[in-house]
């Protein structure tokens, strides 16, 4: 095949075989590293980030496969088309690792109207190498109808205006499979400056384009997923903000009389802001002069959980207003959760505080018990019977009664407060705050202490803390 360079341009010297072999070794080593990353990526399709990483790895492997094949062809040189093949070629596409499925070359002599193709090009187009190569006029017969104008324009610009060819088109092979071919070429000029022939390198980029399409689709899917997550998080945050108690800082309940509670609460967010859970806290003065205290947590994250939390908290407030005792209230709350369309599990502590006698009647449903701090020490209250909400349709919840003293401090919290810590050590640390609580003037000071100790980075889950201090 004539040299694909113009008459007044010297041919480039081929690179040394040793340097090409070194490049092949490096490319294959890199391909092995990328493949190892790909194998470590989950393939169950549940995580958009994992799908994105896997798609990029697949694209990189296709690129490296191409590089490996191109370097091998550079080392071995183009393969001529056999004049008489031993058997007709199979119409199916060559394996993805085959050099013959990668790059072919061609030259069309404009003076003799002859075409010369390499054996690789016959393989790419799925044609019998025993047949004559197609002329420039015949080549469009292989191209999809909608891509023919593109090919015609590229060839015309090359022959008439001496512009290089660089574009893609799709061909239909004899087996009806469609392949995407990237064509690069230049005119070959004669001594008089006129075009005497045109040469081109044609590359089968079908697999590469499919990988790029997968990457684009995965990227778009990831963007849509992120936008949906951001929207859901905003809605869940707004819903949670709307249903949690409107008061901030300290609150005194009941507002008049002895034995009142100095109250303060805080929600500690998870380290990952998108993980907005179903934690709540509440303090409410009831019609009979008693005070409702409650904390709880509904499993899961997102809008559905925030909506379920709002439903539960509304039910707690409504039943407490009717005078329902904590144990029976949790029994009814369990039945409510059991009848919801979307099953869920939850935990809660509900308390009714009577200021005249300073007595606390409380019940729990699979939730950490309140902590009592008295005279500089802290302890966990003895827990009455109670399983998780939604775990058993016929569950019955026990109650406990505790008489409090002036200066006593109760701390209620959701399970997430101790997440990310050794739970035994964290619980001991929480009880160890007793001396600092004893020196604190208000419940708000105590909440600040808890946040200082447990509100740092690395929190795995949302958490709520509610502090109630008995006034004199």
């Amino acid at each position: 095949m004539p040299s694909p360079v113009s008459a007044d341009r010297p041919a480039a010297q081929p690179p040394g075989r040793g340097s090409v072999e070194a490049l092949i070794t490096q490319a294959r080593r890199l391909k092995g590293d990328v493949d190892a990353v790909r194998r470590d990526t989950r393939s169950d399709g549940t995580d958009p980030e994992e799908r994105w990483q896997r798609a990029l790895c697949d694209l990189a492997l296709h690129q490296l496969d191409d590089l490996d094949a191109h370097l091998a062809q550079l080392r071995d040189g183009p393969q001529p088309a056999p004049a008489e093949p031993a058997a007709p070629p199979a119409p199916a596409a060559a394996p993805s690792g085959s050099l013959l499925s990668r790059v072919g070359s061609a030259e069309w002599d404009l003076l003799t109207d002859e075409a010369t193709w390499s054996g690789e090009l016959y393989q790419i187009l799925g044609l019998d190498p025993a047949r004559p190569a197609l002329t420039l006029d015949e080549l469009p017969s292989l191209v999809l109808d909608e891509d023919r104008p593109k090919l015609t324009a590229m060839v015309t610009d090359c022959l008439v205006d001496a512009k290089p060819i660089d574009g893609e088109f799709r061909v239909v092979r004899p087996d009806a499979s469609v392949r995407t071919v990237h064509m690069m070429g230049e005119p070959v000029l004669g001594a008089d400056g006129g075009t005497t022939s045109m040469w081109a390198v044609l590359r089968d980029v079908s697999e590469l384009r499919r990988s790029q399409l997968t990457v684009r689709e995965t990227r778009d899917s990831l963007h849509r997923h992120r936008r949906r997550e951001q929207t859901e998080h905003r809605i869940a945050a707004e819903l949670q903000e709307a249903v949690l108690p409107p008061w901030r800082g300290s609150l005194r309940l009941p507002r008049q009389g002895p034995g009142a509670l100095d109250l303060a609460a805080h929600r500690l967010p998870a380290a990952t802001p998108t993980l907005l859970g179903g934690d709540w806290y509440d303090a409410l003065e009831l019609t009979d002069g008693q005070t409702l205290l409650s904390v709880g947590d509904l499993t899961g994250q997102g809008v559905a959980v925030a909506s379920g939390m709002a439903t539960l908290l509304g039910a707690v407030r409504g039943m407490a207003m009717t005078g329902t005792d904590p144990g029976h209230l949790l029994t009814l709350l369990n039945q409510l959760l059991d009848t919801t369309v979307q099953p869920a599990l939850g935990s809660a502590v509900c308390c009714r505080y009577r200021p005249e006698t300073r007595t606390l009647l409380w019940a729990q449903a699979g939730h950490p018990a309140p902590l009592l701090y008295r005279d500089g020490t802290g302890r966990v209250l003895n827990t009455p019977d109670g399983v998780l909400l939604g775990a058993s349709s016929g569950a019955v919840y026990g109650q406990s009664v505790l008489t409090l003293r002036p200066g006593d401090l109760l701390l209620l919290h959701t399970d997430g407060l101790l997440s990310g810590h050794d739970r035994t050590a964290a619980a001991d640390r929480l009880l160890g705050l007793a001396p600092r609580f004893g020196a604190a003037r208000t419940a708000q000071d105590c909440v600040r202490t808890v946040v200082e100790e447990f509100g740092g980075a690395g929190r795995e889950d949302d958490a709520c803390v509610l502090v109630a201090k008995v006034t004199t």
Side-chain angles (χ1 to χ4, degrees):
M1 183 175 70
S3 173
V5 293
S6 62
D8 57 350
R9 184 162 36 135
Q13 294 298 317
R17 187 182 183 90
S19 61
V20 175
E21 289 287 0
L23 289 173
I24 291 174
T25 300
Q26 292 178 22
R28 291 177 179 175
R29 183 183 300 116
L30 181 57
K31 186 166 65 173
D33 293 340
V34 174
D35 190 50
V37 174
R38 180 183 180 276
R39 288 196 302 271
D40 289 340
T41 304
R42 287 188 322 209
S43 59
D44 56 9
T46 58
D47 187 344
E49 293 283 355
E50 296 283 353
R51 291 200 302 270
W52 169 246
Q53 182 177 0
R54 189 175 182 86
L56 286 177
C57 287
D58 289 339
L59 177 60
L61 287 174
H62 279 306
Q63 297 275 19
L64 289 169
D65 282 341
D66 279 348
L67 177 61
D68 187 10
H70 295 166
L71 290 172
Q73 275 193 310
L74 181 62
R75 177 194 63 196
D76 301 335
Q79 302 300 310
E84 296 183 1
S96 61
S98 169
L99 298 183
L100 298 181
S101 69
R102 299 291 182 175
V103 182
S105 61
E107 184 161 1
W108 290 274
D109 192 318
L110 303 182
L111 302 179
T112 63
D113 201 28
E114 292 180 349
T116 306
W117 286 6
S118 68
E120 294 90 348
L121 184 53
Y122 281 98
Q123 289 285 339
I124 289 173
L125 302 178
L127 299 178
D128 185 349
R131 296 178 54 186
L134 300 182
T135 66
L136 284 176
D137 292 334
E138 296 169 332
L139 184 62
S141 65
L142 300 178
V143 181
L144 282 177
D145 292 344
E146 54 264 41
D147 289 357
R148 285 178 186 171
K150 185 189 305 183
L151 174 62
T152 300
M154 288 192 299
V155 172
T156 301
D157 288 344
C158 180
L159 298 181
V160 175
D161 299 325
K163 292 182 178 179
I165 291 176
D166 187 354
E168 292 183 9
F169 51 88
R170 290 164 295 171
V171 298
V172 182
R173 293 162 53 100
D175 62 357
S177 63
V178 177
R179 309 296 292 179
T180 301
V181 176
H182 182 230
M183 184 176 184
M184 296 182 66
E186 292 182 358
V188 179
L189 306 180
D192 60 355
T195 303
T196 60
S197 63
M198 188 188 84
W199 70 272
V201 172
L202 293 93
R203 175 185 174 208
D204 185 345
V205 293
S206 306
E207 299 302 327
L208 182 59
R209 295 297 175 257
R210 274 195 284 270
S211 293
Q212 290 173 331
L213 177 61
T214 299
V215 169
R216 286 196 300 270
E217 291 175 345
T218 305
R219 179 196 59 205
D220 293 343
S221 174
L222 179 59
H223 288 169
R224 289 193 299 271
H225 180 80
R226 285 174 175 168
R227 286 195 297 269
R228 184 171 62 250
E229 277 189 340
Q230 291 168 355
T231 301
E232 290 181 352
H233 180 268
R234 176 179 55 80
I235 294 173
E238 291 174 354
L239 181 58
Q240 188 178 66
E241 186 71 16
V243 299
L244 287 179
W247 49 273
R248 298 292 183 269
S250 295
L251 177 70
R252 177 187 173 95
L253 292 180
R255 291 175 173 80
Q256 302 294 330
L261 297 177
D262 175 24
L263 297 161
H266 188 77
R267 187 181 72 84
L268 292 81
T272 304
T274 56
L275 298 179
L276 190 62
D279 295 63
W280 85 78
Y281 64 87
D282 199 19
L284 184 67
E285 185 173 1
L286 304 176
T287 54
D288 58 4
Q290 298 187 47
T291 297
L292 166 72
L293 303 178
S294 71
V295 295
D297 181 16
L298 195 63
T299 57
Q301 287 97 24
V303 175
V305 172
S307 177
M309 179 268 287
T311 300
L312 289 184
L313 184 52
V316 169
R317 290 169 175 170
M319 288 186 286
M321 280 293 187
T322 65
T324 306
D325 284 343
H328 187 49
L329 187 153
L330 290 179
T331 299
L332 296 175
L333 206 63
N334 179 66
Q335 294 174 4
L336 173 65
L337 199 60
D338 188 54
T339 58
T340 56
V341 176
Q342 200 167 21
L345 293 175
S347 67
V349 165
C350 288
C351 311
R352 289 180 71 95
Y353 174 71
R354 184 181 296 275
E356 298 88 352
T357 57
R358 295 191 180 92
T359 54
L360 186 80
L361 179 65
W362 70 283
Q364 64 83 32
H367 198 88
L371 308 182
L372 173 64
Y373 296 85
R374 174 182 290 172
D375 299 330
T377 61
R379 68 179 178 88
V380 181
L381 297 184
N382 294 327
T383 306
D385 293 336
V387 299
L388 285 170
L389 299 171
S392 175
S393 58
V396 176
Y397 295 85
Q399 299 183 142
S400 289
V401 179
L402 175 69
T403 301
L404 298 174
R405 305 174 187 171
D408 281 355
L409 186 140
L410 285 171
L411 188 149
L412 285 67
H413 67 88
T414 58
D415 195 51
L417 182 65
L418 307 184
S419 68
H421 303 273
D422 177 276
R423 290 191 173 270
T424 301
D428 291 341
R429 202 166 97 217
L430 191 58
L431 290 172
L433 296 177
R436 295 174 64 181
F437 288 165
R441 293 184 302 105
T442 66
Q444 185 65 46
D445 292 336
C446 297
V447 167
R448 291 194 188 100
T449 299
V450 175
V451 173
E452 289 173 3
E453 289 292 325
F454 295 91
R459 171 167 303 286
E460 298 176 355
D461 198 1
D462 285 354
C464 289
V465 58
L466 173 63
V467 170
K469 186 173 184 179
V470 182
T471 62
T472 55

